[in-house]
Amino acid sequence: MGKQLTVEQQFKNVLKEQNAYREAISLAQWDMRTKIPRKGVEQRSEVVGFLAEKLHLLETSDHVKELMDELKSTTSDEVLSKTVEVSLETYEKNRKIPNEEFKEYVMLQSKSESIWQEAREKADFSLFQPYLEKLVDFNKKFANYWGYEANIYDALLHNFEPGVTTKTLDKVFPKLRNSLTDLVDRVNQSDVKPDPSILKTHFPKQEQEAFSIEILNSMGYDFNAGRLDDTIHPFAISLNQNDVRITTRYDEEDFRMAVFGTIHEGGHALYEQNISDKLSNTPLATGTSMGIHESQSLFWENFVGRNEAFWASHYELFKKYAPKHFENVPLDSFYQAVNEVKPSFIRIEADELTYPLHIMIRYELEKALMNSEIEVKDLPHLWNEKMVDYLGIEPKSDREGVLQDIHWAGGDFGYFPSYALGYMYAAQINNVMMKELNMNDIISSGNFIPIKEWLTKHIHQYGKMKKPLEIIESVTKEQLNPDHLVKYLTDKYTRVYNL
Amino acid sequence: MGKQLTVEQQFKNVLKEQNAYREAISLAQWDMRTKIPRKGVEQRSEVVGFLAEKLHLLETSDHVKELMDELKSTTSDEVLSKTVEVSLETYEKNRKIPNEEFKEYVMLQSKSESIWQEAREKADFSLFQPYLEKLVDFNKKFANYWGYEANIYDALLHNFEPGVTTKTLDKVFPKLRNSLTDLVDRVNQSDVKPDPSILKTHFPKQEQEAFSIEILNSMGYDFNAGRLDDTIHPFAISLNQNDVRITTRYDEEDFRMAVFGTIHEGGHALYEQNISDKLSNTPLATGTSMGIHESQSLFWENFVGRNEAFWASHYELFKKYAPKHFENVPLDSFYQAVNEVKPSFIRIEADELTYPLHIMIRYELEKALMNSEIEVKDLPHLWNEKMVDYLGIEPKSDREGVLQDIHWAGGDFGYFPSYALGYMYAAQINNVMMKELNMNDIISSGNFIPIKEWLTKHIHQYGKMKKPLEIIESVTKEQLNPDHLVKYLTDKYTRVYNL
């Protein structure tokens, strides 16, 4: 018989088990989205379900709860104490939902995703409507189990952006929305008409990939702790800090998809690769929230990748890989074209300036739904009305309207605001970084490591040790402030469109 | 409260759990050998260890034992009854080893593999010797726990080829060895001197891959239930019947590596892809033994892939992908070159005729070791002596001698005979198939599906429902018989070398 394990040792063993399940699940998912043969999908879904259930059991075990309660009052170790705090939150959150309801919900999610797919293909909202109604009802019920202070929607927001409430959002979103719609109006009236058709030429995948890899290396993405693959829907996924993978999509007729997509996912990946080793094998070893994650990807994609200095200094490198066609495209026209503003229907294809308006629409509809101010059946026409109000265009079908995103089919209500929050965070972070680093010189040098190091020092290393608003406030010395994003976009597009 | 589950339902749930762990482990291993970034390896090894332990616990649980005992005496279902039989064998085998010894052994294995790697690089057997001594001692101890009738080595053979004993092998191996050494002598004295240098020219990976894929398709390998990747050490791995992956290695200066390697692994994969759906989610849904598995890969590699009719009918197709150089290589010279016999040091690079002699050496040494007739420290010089005796060449260092294979470092004693058994099985199967199918026509047609279907009907579908010798006897209506392999090789090389 060995020695009795201490409570701390027992808890750390549980954490290791949880992490092993997490890595196995992440790998299975990565494989499903990149490599799995078609016929293997069904069995794999069951394997992922099984592993997820095992993880869930460990997260909600009474025995583990006892260990955590004990440690909560005895440990003085900072990482351990935060680990207990975060794990207790997960425990409470999961335990508040009755087992039977949780199982029913999981089955509904998986069924709804496949129905949504069909509904989107057929552009027929009525197929999806009954499922969405149930999903909304479940989410309302869960929100009530979890509890909230001011608004039922806050309970859902908390899952993606802890600390952020409808009150926070209602302070910043309308301001952002008004500024952006004004700016879009001015852009629409400008005589400057960027011509994105000059970007469209056959650009072989291999060359796009080679250029993307050069940029990832400049960013400091560690290929010894990650890899780049090809997918339909680009994503970044962390198996652990030493194995953070990204994927991108190659459109051989439009390089923008892969190049900006890779920089975006690379931003997510840098965050995960640079979390402190001290947090390894704890649930703290991942990004602190969806919003902070998106701040990293959008920072790299927009503030670096669509930056004037970036293209001024990298256009020659780009042309080394690009087809000859670009020899006849002047830098100015190229830069304008990659920064064209044009209201469009599909969120993930939106430009830098109109993107946040797509998020506003979803936020307003979700909040109203959860507060029972509107009904699921009203979503299609409300969606279209808002599109006309904010973007001046009307979807011709629900496929390019209310049915475009998978989020609701997966039951993810409260997720969308993170995209706009991340963008505001990014602008706020950029504002500080510009004071501390000579950004133009760094971006022009082609060696972005100082930026990566700055982000690691201020954000990445902490993982979940700090909450999102804690990060923003400690880095920027101010609260969430939409002015920085408005100023960034106004300055940039005033120059691009000669306003 | 739901209804009480029956014993059968409970057992089937356990099987599902076991299979989920198996798939997660296989995927993690496939990824480690093909895609994982360097820094991810350490953590991944722990994840695999954790999942393997969970599987082990399920396989050795007292509760599961009770379910099996109950079912053993009550079920009349053929698949369930065989599943119980096979699972009980695993249970007994694992339970006979004390937990502490098993853990110590697992750690020794993993340590030994890395020491072996170092020893091989430095060609220094003395580094590896103490580890190998411990591994041999453990295997002797385990063999005694498991029990055996005539020879301690039988207990180890049983792990890889149930039903085959030293008595079986000692009846066939000497005969095979003598015939082959005679044949090799005659080949050496022939005036025919194939010139493999005509095969060596730069052959881009992409083109080799395209040709390999054409052949895999002709064999009936289902790419919707598998994929082909690039590795250093080629292998086939089954996640389940609908996801059976193969890898190959591309040497751009010698296409033989990839082309014959792909056909070989394709043979393994066809076996796993074509196991009956009735065996899904049971431990029966895999090849019945290492030997039968190898019979499938060697059948395709040698009896099809190195066949005269194959190249007569596929050389034009080959030239479509191959460099221009081959326009000047006549079919005859090409066929002779890919069938050159030349004693060599490294087993996995050996030709079709000398290959079994490499296996004899390992078998004789393993058997003597386990019977304490020789000691670990004597292995290097005994190995070299046997190389001179059987192949007429002497390794210049232990790197190309006793240190070349990983098997012993992993504690796999009793495995090597499967390679030679598989080869004899393949020849025996080929002999029957030639009577039932018009092999020349089929091979010349480029559509090998009738061969795949024949193998599925007689072998693949059964998975572990039949034991290896049961398969051989039911397919060939005779016992293990080395004459077929001797005849095949004699006929073939008499023609190739004009003996």
Side-chain angles (χ1 to χ4, degrees):
Chain A
M1 295 287 105
K3 270 180 284 179
Q4 191 84 28
L5 293 179
T6 66
V7 169
E8 182 173 332
Q9 285 165 332
Q10 289 181 60
F11 182 62
K12 285 190 169 166
N13 285 343
V14 172
L15 292 178
K16 269 198 183 172
E17 296 205 0
Q18 291 180 349
N19 253 45
Y21 282 123
R22 279 191 202 107
E23 176 157 338
I25 293 167
S26 299
L27 176 64
Q29 288 174 331
W30 171 81
D31 186 72
M32 277 180 96
R33 299 197 210 162
T34 54
K35 309 285 179 191
I36 200 171
R38 188 174 56 73
K39 293 184 184 172
V41 172
E42 201 180 315
Q43 173 76 13
R44 178 67 57 78
S45 308
E46 289 197 26
V47 170
V48 171
F50 168 77
L51 296 170
E53 198 185 328
K54 289 284 167 191
L55 176 59
H56 183 79
L57 284 173
L58 277 176
E59 287 175 342
T60 55
S61 128
D62 287 331
H63 172 60
V64 179
K65 171 73 158 65
E66 281 164 27
L67 298 176
M68 293 192 289
D69 285 341
E70 170 82 23
L71 285 169
K72 192 178 168 183
S73 54
T74 54
T75 187
S76 56
D77 179 275
E78 204 190 359
V79 171
L80 186 57
S81 145
K82 188 76 185 177
T83 300
V84 169
E85 181 192 321
V86 166
S87 302
L88 276 172
E89 272 172 28
T90 306
Y91 174 88
E92 300 294 348
K93 191 188 141 199
N94 287 327
R95 287 298 290 249
K96 281 179 180 164
I97 300 179
N99 260 336
E100 285 307 306
E101 283 182 31
F102 184 74
K103 277 192 189 164
E104 209 185 317
Y105 181 62
V106 170
M107 284 187 298
L108 175 66
Q109 278 175 315
S110 122
K111 182 79 186 157
S112 300
E113 285 190 15
S114 70
I115 296 285
W116 163 77
Q117 220 142 18
E118 193 190 336
R120 188 175 69 150
E121 272 158 34
K122 298 184 175 161
D124 182 354
F125 183 76
S126 70
L127 286 175
F128 183 46
Q129 186 183 318
Y131 292 87
L132 188 52
E133 282 166 353
K134 279 188 208 152
L135 286 163
V136 168
D137 287 345
F138 264 112
N139 271 274
K140 284 183 189 172
K141 221 186 321 182
F142 292 172
N144 282 311
Y145 290 143
W146 292 325
Y148 53 85
E149 284 183 17
N151 192 309
I152 185 172
Y153 189 65
D154 292 346
L156 302 173
L157 275 176
H158 183 81
N159 290 334
F160 302 98
E161 210 59 17
V164 169
T165 61
T166 43
K167 201 176 147 197
T168 326
L169 297 181
D170 289 337
K171 243 195 290 184
V172 295
F173 276 6
K175 192 169 174 189
L176 183 61
R177 196 186 65 215
N178 293 333
S179 308
L180 297 191
T181 46
D182 283 356
L183 188 53
V184 172
D185 281 348
R186 288 167 57 213
V187 163
N188 283 339
Q189 287 155 27
S190 162
D191 291 336
V192 178
K193 299 287 174 209
D195 178 10
S197 77
I198 58 172
L199 305 175
K200 294 196 179 173
T201 183
H202 187 78
F203 194 153
K205 178 190 149 172
Q206 233 171 332
E207 306 300 317
Q208 291 191 40
E209 186 180 52
F211 178 69
S212 300
I213 288 173
E214 281 234 23
I215 302 301
L216 284 172
N217 278 321
S218 307
M219 288 166 67
Y221 175 76
D222 182 355
F223 274 98
N224 285 320
R227 45 180 294 126
L228 172 64
D229 290 274
D230 190 353
T231 36
I232 305 284
H233 301 290
F235 64 95
I237 194 167
S238 168
L239 279 62
N240 61 65
Q241 296 108 302
N242 287 310
D243 191 351
V244 182
R245 304 177 181 197
I246 58 184
T247 69
T248 196
R249 175 171 171 185
Y250 298 96
D251 178 343
E252 292 200 319
E253 308 311 318
D254 189 345
F255 72 88
R256 289 176 293 180
M257 172 79 80
V259 167
F260 293 113
T262 307
I263 300 175
H264 182 97
E265 301 306 335
H268 282 303
L270 283 187
Y271 189 4
E272 295 285 337
Q273 282 188 337
N274 292 295
I275 289 170
S276 166
D277 284 347
K278 288 183 209 152
L279 308 185
S280 295
N281 270 316
T282 76
L284 308 177
T286 189
T288 190
S289 72
M290 300 308 305
I292 298 291
H293 238 301
E294 203 65 17
S295 78
Q296 298 307 295
S297 52
L298 286 174
F299 173 81
W300 285 99
E301 180 188 351
N302 292 343
F303 296 80
V304 178
R306 297 187 197 268
N307 182 297
E308 198 166 359
F310 177 85
W311 285 109
S313 54
H314 286 74
Y315 196 42
E316 286 308 310
L317 179 73
F318 174 83
K319 285 195 277 188
K320 259 182 55 189
Y321 296 98
K324 285 218 172 85
H325 163 86
F326 287 96
E327 292 299 339
N328 302 318
V329 178
L331 174 62
D332 281 6
S333 320
F334 180 90
Y335 174 70
Q336 277 188 334
V338 298
N339 284 293
E340 190 206 20
V341 171
K342 190 176 179 190
S344 61
F345 298 116
I346 305 296
R347 175 181 63 85
I348 58 167
E349 293 169 4
D351 59 76
E352 211 186 0
L353 176 51
T354 58
Y355 184 83
L357 298 171
H358 290 264
I359 303 306
M360 302 299 137
I361 293 173
R362 289 153 179 80
Y363 166 63
E364 292 165 16
L365 293 174
E366 282 190 349
K367 194 177 64 164
L369 262 181
M370 290 302 146
N371 283 283
S372 307
E373 294 159 9
I374 62 172
E375 287 180 62
V376 167
K377 69 172 168 49
D378 302 322
L379 284 174
H381 79 90
L382 290 173
W383 181 288
N384 292 357
E385 275 175 31
K386 283 183 189 287
M387 280 296 288
V388 173
D389 281 357
Y390 301 165
L391 286 155
I393 55 176
E394 186 172 4
K396 282 174 295 299
S397 88
D398 290 338
R399 186 185 353 214
E400 51 186 29
V402 70
L403 286 172
Q404 68 183 269
D405 290 306
I406 195 175
H407 302 58
W408 292 346
D412 287 336
F413 296 90
Y415 187 132
F416 282 118
S418 307
Y419 293 118
L421 278 166
Y423 206 177
M424 287 185 280
Y425 295 159
Q428 217 166 318
I429 291 165
N430 182 57
N431 179 55
V432 179
M433 200 188 290
M434 282 177 62
K435 290 178 191 155
E436 298 189 10
L437 297 179
N438 191 329
M439 292 291 280
N440 263 345
D441 283 4
I442 293 171
I443 290 177
S444 301
S445 79
N447 171 4
F448 312 145
I449 306 293
I451 298 178
K452 183 198 84 163
E453 286 174 350
W454 192 95
L455 291 168
T456 297
K457 183 179 161 203
H458 291 93
I459 300 170
H460 300 170
Q461 62 163 321
Y462 296 111
K464 274 190 191 295
M465 284 294 286
K466 295 187 179 184
K467 294 216 184 294
L469 293 181
E470 234 178 291
I471 296 254
I472 293 306
E473 286 162 23
S474 75
V475 176
T476 67
K477 313 284 180 241
E478 59 176 335
Q479 296 202 309
L480 176 64
N481 180 353
D483 294 347
H484 299 288
L485 179 57
V486 172
K487 181 169 188 314
Y488 159 76
L489 290 170
T490 308
D491 288 354
K492 175 165 177 178
Y493 288 94
T494 299
R495 280 200 313 282
V496 172
Y497 279 88
N498 204 8
L499 302 179
Chain B
M1 294 285 104
K3 270 181 285 180
Q4 192 85 29
L5 293 179
T6 66
V7 170
E8 182 173 330
Q9 285 166 333
Q10 287 180 60
F11 182 63
K12 286 191 170 166
N13 286 343
V14 172
L15 292 178
K16 269 199 185 171
E17 296 206 358
Q18 291 180 349
N19 253 45
Y21 282 122
R22 281 194 201 103
E23 176 158 336
I25 292 167
S26 299
L27 176 64
Q29 288 174 331
W30 171 82
D31 186 73
M32 276 180 95
R33 299 197 210 160
T34 54
K35 309 283 180 194
I36 200 171
R38 190 174 55 73
K39 292 184 184 170
V41 172
E42 201 179 316
Q43 173 75 13
R44 177 67 58 78
S45 307
E46 290 198 25
V47 170
V48 170
F50 167 78
L51 296 170
E53 198 184 328
K54 290 285 168 191
L55 175 59
H56 184 80
L57 284 174
L58 277 175
E59 286 175 341
T60 55
S61 126
D62 287 330
H63 171 63
V64 179
K65 173 72 158 66
E66 282 164 28
L67 297 176
M68 294 193 287
D69 285 341
E70 170 82 22
L71 285 169
K72 193 179 168 183
S73 54
T74 53
T75 187
S76 56
D77 180 275
E78 207 190 355
V79 171
L80 185 57
S81 148
K82 188 74 183 177
T83 300
V84 169
E85 182 192 321
V86 166
S87 302
L88 276 171
E89 274 172 26
T90 306
Y91 174 88
E92 299 295 348
K93 195 189 139 196
N94 287 327
R95 288 296 291 247
K96 281 180 179 162
I97 299 179
N99 261 336
E100 284 307 305
E101 283 181 32
F102 184 76
K103 276 192 190 163
E104 210 184 316
Y105 181 64
V106 170
M107 283 188 296
L108 175 65
Q109 279 175 315
S110 120
K111 182 79 185 155
S112 299
E113 284 191 15
S114 70
I115 297 284
W116 163 77
Q117 220 143 19
E118 192 190 336
R120 189 174 71 149
E121 272 159 32
K122 297 185 176 161
D124 182 353
F125 182 76
S126 70
L127 287 175
F128 183 45
Q129 185 183 319
Y131 291 87
L132 187 52
E133 283 166 352
K134 279 187 209 154
L135 287 162
V136 169
D137 288 345
F138 264 112
N139 271 274
K140 285 183 187 172
K141 223 186 319 183
F142 292 172
N144 282 312
Y145 291 142
W146 292 326
Y148 53 88
E149 283 182 17
N151 191 309
I152 184 172
Y153 189 63
D154 293 348
L156 303 173
L157 275 175
H158 184 81
N159 290 334
F160 302 99
E161 210 60 17
V164 170
T165 62
T166 43
K167 202 176 146 198
T168 326
L169 297 181
D170 288 337
K171 245 195 292 186
V172 296
F173 276 5
K175 195 172 172 184
L176 183 61
R177 195 186 66 215
N178 292 334
S179 309
L180 296 190
T181 47
D182 283 357
L183 188 54
V184 171
D185 280 348
R186 289 167 59 212
V187 162
N188 282 339
Q189 287 153 29
S190 163
D191 291 337
V192 178
K193 300 287 174 210
D195 178 10
S197 76
I198 58 173
L199 304 176
K200 293 196 177 171
T201 184
H202 188 79
F203 193 154
K205 178 190 149 173
Q206 233 172 333
E207 305 300 317
Q208 291 192 41
E209 186 180 52
F211 178 69
S212 301
I213 288 173
E214 282 235 22
I215 302 301
L216 285 172
N217 279 321
S218 307
M219 290 166 65
Y221 176 75
D222 182 355
F223 275 98
N224 285 321
R227 45 181 293 123
L228 172 64
D229 291 273
D230 190 354
T231 36
I232 305 285
H233 302 289
F235 64 95
I237 194 167
S238 167
L239 279 62
N240 61 65
Q241 296 110 300
N242 288 311
D243 190 352
V244 183
R245 305 179 180 197
I246 57 184
T247 69
T248 197
R249 175 172 169 184
Y250 298 96
D251 178 343
E252 293 202 318
E253 308 311 318
D254 189 345
F255 72 88
R256 289 175 295 180
M257 174 77 84
V259 168
F260 293 112
T262 307
I263 300 175
H264 182 97
E265 301 307 334
H268 282 303
L270 283 188
Y271 190 2
E272 296 285 338
Q273 281 188 338
N274 292 294
I275 289 169
S276 165
D277 283 347
K278 289 182 206 151
L279 309 184
S280 296
N281 270 316
T282 78
L284 309 177
T286 187
T288 189
S289 73
M290 299 308 306
I292 298 292
H293 238 302
E294 203 66 15
S295 78
Q296 299 307 296
S297 52
L298 286 174
F299 173 81
W300 284 100
E301 180 188 351
N302 292 343
F303 296 80
V304 178
R306 295 185 198 269
N307 182 297
E308 200 168 356
F310 177 84
W311 285 110
S313 55
H314 287 75
Y315 196 41
E316 287 307 311
L317 180 71
F318 174 82
K319 286 195 278 190
K320 258 181 56 189
Y321 296 100
K324 284 217 173 85
H325 163 86
F326 287 96
E327 292 299 340
N328 302 318
V329 178
L331 174 62
D332 282 5
S333 320
F334 180 90
Y335 174 69
Q336 278 187 336
V338 298
N339 284 292
E340 190 206 21
V341 171
K342 190 176 178 190
S344 61
F345 298 115
I346 304 297
R347 176 183 61 85
I348 58 166
E349 293 169 5
D351 59 75
E352 214 186 353
L353 178 50
T354 59
Y355 185 83
L357 298 171
H358 290 266
I359 304 305
M360 302 299 137
I361 294 173
R362 288 154 180 79
Y363 166 63
E364 292 166 16
L365 293 175
E366 283 189 349
K367 193 176 65 163
L369 263 180
M370 289 303 147
N371 283 283
S372 308
E373 295 159 10
I374 62 171
E375 288 181 60
V376 167
K377 70 172 168 46
D378 302 322
L379 285 173
H381 79 90
L382 291 173
W383 181 289
N384 292 357
E385 275 174 32
K386 284 182 189 288
M387 281 295 289
V388 172
D389 281 357
Y390 302 164
L391 286 155
I393 55 174
E394 185 172 2
K396 285 176 292 296
S397 89
D398 290 339
R399 187 186 351 212
E400 51 185 29
V402 70
L403 286 172
Q404 68 183 268
D405 289 307
I406 196 175
H407 301 59
W408 292 346
D412 286 336
F413 296 91
Y415 187 131
F416 282 118
S418 308
Y419 293 119
L421 279 166
Y423 206 177
M424 289 185 278
Y425 296 158
Q428 217 165 317
I429 291 164
N430 182 56
N431 180 54
V432 179
M433 199 188 290
M434 281 177 62
K435 292 176 189 156
E436 299 189 9
L437 297 179
N438 192 329
M439 291 291 280
N440 263 345
D441 283 5
I442 292 171
I443 288 178
S444 301
S445 78
N447 171 5
F448 312 144
I449 305 293
I451 300 178
K452 184 199 85 164
E453 285 174 350
W454 193 96
L455 291 168
T456 296
K457 182 178 161 204
H458 291 93
I459 302 169
H460 298 170
Q461 62 164 321
Y462 297 111
K464 273 189 191 294
M465 282 295 286
K466 296 186 178 186
K467 293 218 184 293
L469 293 180
E470 234 178 290
I471 295 255
I472 293 305
E473 287 162 23
S474 75
V475 176
T476 69
K477 313 284 182 238
E478 60 176 336
Q479 296 201 308
L480 177 63
N481 180 354
D483 294 347
H484 299 288
L485 179 56
V486 171
K487 183 171 185 316
Y488 159 76
L489 290 171
T490 306
D491 288 355
K492 174 164 178 179
Y493 287 95
T494 298
R495 282 202 313 282
V496 171
Y497 278 90
N498 204 9
L499 301 180

